[in-house]
């Protein structure tokens, strides 16, 4: 689809991420969501690289799927996929048993961490206060006009008010959402009960009005209708602390069973879900809850049989 659109438009944007709407440029339509597709593709990628005996087709499929993950441009998923690929190579693959590099690698990483601590600390401090359009997580609004003010993480957490000219990069917006979550839980005293399923949206809109965030228009969406973009916060806000605890238990059981079975695809699925929930309300979308429920049940049924 992207190749066909490229020949028509000669615009390389058709190969990356998703467009501002379903008719705009992008590798997948806006409604489909590039981050969600990245997760689906990642599971396929890990299936192929984890096969003990690989054919030429397996290598080609792995390369194609990894390229697709890069083009979808979800920084969070790309980082996790690379990390999991390294874990597979050094701990799960046959070569990991032949190459006795594990202790050397761990030692080297520890040494690098010790020597680079001050550099990492300074970099994080800069990111916290910098006014930059670059972000560690995906942006929530696309097509931002020029001469807007990019809100820093510090401003997102501390500012008493904003202006319609303030634009939130992905990380800053998620910090702002966490901020209003803590305020809403305190103001409405819903720590134990939550607001109810999808009942947090009017409260988020109220906060957007209170802080004077950009509201958009009929054709240009604003910030007031966005969910928390964090599954843990979304569950806590709408189902209360007990719903949050249940979600954590579900994820821990999944991770525990992945270690038990030593099934790398199961392990990759567990880590992907834990990281994805930090930046997306994945289970509050139909494709998300269907995908998670299906694979969770498939991986965690008959765990003892898998071990045998």
């Amino acid at each position: 689809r992207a190749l066909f659109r490229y020949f028509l438009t000669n615009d390389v944007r058709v190969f990356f991420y998703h467009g501002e709407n379903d008719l705009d440029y992008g590798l997948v339509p806006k409604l489909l969501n590039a981050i969600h597709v990245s997760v689906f593709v990642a599971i396929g990628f890990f299936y192929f690289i984890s096969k003990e005996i690989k054919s030429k087709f397996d290598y080609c499929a792995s390369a194609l799927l990894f390229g697709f993950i890069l083009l979808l441009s979800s920084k969070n998923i790309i980082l996790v996929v690379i990390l999991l690929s390294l874990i597979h190579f050094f701990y799960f693959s046959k070569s990991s048993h032949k190459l006795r590099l594990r202790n050397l690698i761990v030692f080297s990483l520890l040494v690098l961490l010790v020597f680079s601590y001050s550099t990492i600390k300074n970099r994080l401090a800069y990111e916290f206060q910098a006014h930059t359009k670059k972000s560690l997580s995906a942006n929530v609004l696309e097509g931002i006009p020029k001469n807007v003010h990019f809100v820093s993480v510090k401003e997102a957490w501390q500012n008493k008010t904003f202006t319609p000219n303030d634009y939130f990069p992905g990380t800053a917006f998620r910090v702002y959402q966490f901020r209003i979550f803590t305020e809403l839980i305190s103001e409405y005293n819903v720590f134990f009960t939550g607001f109810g399923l999808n009942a947090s949206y009017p409260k988020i809109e109220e906060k957007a009005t209170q802080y004077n965030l950009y509201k958009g228009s009929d054709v240009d969406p604003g910030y007031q209708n966005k969910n928390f973009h964090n599954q843990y916060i979304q569950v806590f806000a709408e189902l209360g602390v007990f719903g949050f605890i249940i979600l954590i238990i579900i994820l821990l059981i999944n991770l525990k069973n992945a270690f038990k079975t030593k099934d790398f695809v199961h392990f990759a699925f567990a880590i992907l879900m834990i990281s994805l929930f930090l930046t997306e309300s994945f289970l509050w979308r139909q494709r998300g809850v269907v995908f998670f429920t299906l694979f969770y049940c498939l991986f965690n049924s008959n765990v003892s049989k898998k071990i045998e």
Side-chain angles (χ1 to χ4, degrees):
R1 176 177 176 270
L3 279 170
F4 180 75
R5 298 186 78 184
Y6 177 73
F7 288 132
L8 289 177
T9 63
N10 201 32
D11 193 326
V12 295
R13 287 181 297 172
V14 299
F15 292 107
F16 299 95
Y17 203 56
H18 57 230
E20 296 173 40
N21 55 63
D22 287 334
L23 300 177
D24 204 352
Y25 300 106
L27 189 60
V28 297
K30 171 72 173 178
L31 185 62
L32 194 54
N33 194 308
I35 299 172
H36 293 186
V37 177
S38 295
V39 175
F40 308 152
V41 173
I43 295 297
F45 169 73
F46 289 127
Y47 164 75
F48 283 108
I49 69 166
S50 64
K51 293 179 72 172
E52 290 188 5
I53 301 175
K54 297 182 181 67
S55 63
K56 290 181 180 179
F57 173 78
D58 295 326
Y59 285 112
C60 291
S62 300
L64 177 66
L65 292 174
F66 184 73
F68 205 69
I69 291 169
L70 294 178
L71 292 176
L72 286 166
S73 310
S74 170
K75 293 183 282 291
N76 179 26
I77 301 302
I78 291 172
L79 184 64
V80 174
V81 165
I82 292 174
L83 177 62
L84 287 170
S85 299
L86 291 174
I87 290 174
H88 174 264
F89 179 77
F90 290 116
Y91 289 92
F92 286 87
S93 65
K94 284 184 176 180
S95 58
S96 66
H97 302 296
K98 299 175 183 177
L99 302 173
R100 297 184 177 273
L101 294 175
R102 184 166 57 186
N103 292 336
L104 178 62
I105 290 168
V106 172
F107 176 77
S108 300
L109 287 174
L110 288 174
V111 171
L112 286 172
L113 191 61
V114 169
F115 281 102
S116 64
Y117 172 75
S118 59
T119 304
I120 294 171
K121 183 179 178 181
N122 292 335
R123 180 61 187 172
L124 289 174
Y126 171 78
E127 290 290 343
F128 184 71
Q129 300 185 47
H131 304 271
T132 173
K133 62 182 180 180
K134 294 182 179 180
S135 175
L136 294 175
S137 53
N139 294 328
V140 294
L141 296 184
E142 305 296 334
I144 301 304
K146 295 180 180 179
N147 301 320
V148 297
H149 170 73
F150 290 97
V151 178
S152 69
V153 171
K154 183 178 181 180
E155 289 175 335
W157 183 254
Q158 294 183 349
N159 277 17
K160 294 182 179 180
T161 186
F162 298 94
T163 71
N165 193 50
D166 287 332
Y167 167 64
F168 289 79
T171 306
F173 183 70
R174 285 163 176 82
V175 170
Y176 161 80
Q177 291 285 62
F178 180 71
R179 172 188 177 180
I180 65 171
F181 158 72
T182 59
E183 292 176 3
L184 289 171
I185 291 294
S186 175
E187 291 171 9
Y188 289 91
N189 194 24
V190 290
F191 181 83
F192 292 103
T193 62
F195 290 107
L197 186 62
N198 292 329
S200 65
Y201 286 90
K203 308 303 178 185
I204 294 173
E205 189 170 353
E206 287 176 11
K207 284 292 181 181
T209 302
Q210 176 186 330
Y211 284 110
N212 195 31
L213 265 62
Y214 173 63
K215 291 188 176 182
S217 61
D218 294 336
V219 294
D220 184 18
Y223 293 107
Q224 75 279 7
N225 294 322
K226 302 296 181 183
N227 60 29
F228 284 108
H229 280 74
N230 183 306
Q231 190 62 65
Y232 305 106
I233 294 176
Q234 195 83 43
V235 167
F236 205 133
E238 298 188 359
L239 304 181
V241 66
F242 297 112
F244 172 75
I245 292 172
I246 289 172
L247 176 64
I248 297 301
I249 291 172
I250 288 172
L251 294 175
L252 289 177
I253 289 173
N254 189 36
L255 188 61
K256 177 186 175 184
N257 288 338
F259 278 113
K260 274 186 177 181
T261 59
K262 297 181 180 179
D263 180 346
F264 177 72
V265 183
H266 186 179
F267 175 76
F269 169 74
I271 299 300
L272 270 173
M273 291 300 102
I274 291 171
S275 63
L276 178 67
F277 287 0
L278 290 170
T279 60
E280 297 294 317
S281 297
F282 190 62
L283 301 182
W284 260 232
R285 293 290 179 264
Q286 184 176 345
R287 72 175 66 87
V289 72
V290 169
F291 176 84
F292 179 80
T293 305
L294 173 64
F295 277 91
Y296 189 93
C297 293
L298 286 172
F299 282 129
N300 291 286
S301 60
N302 298 322
V303 169
S304 58
K305 188 176 180 181
K306 286 182 184 177
I307 295 172
E308 292 173 5

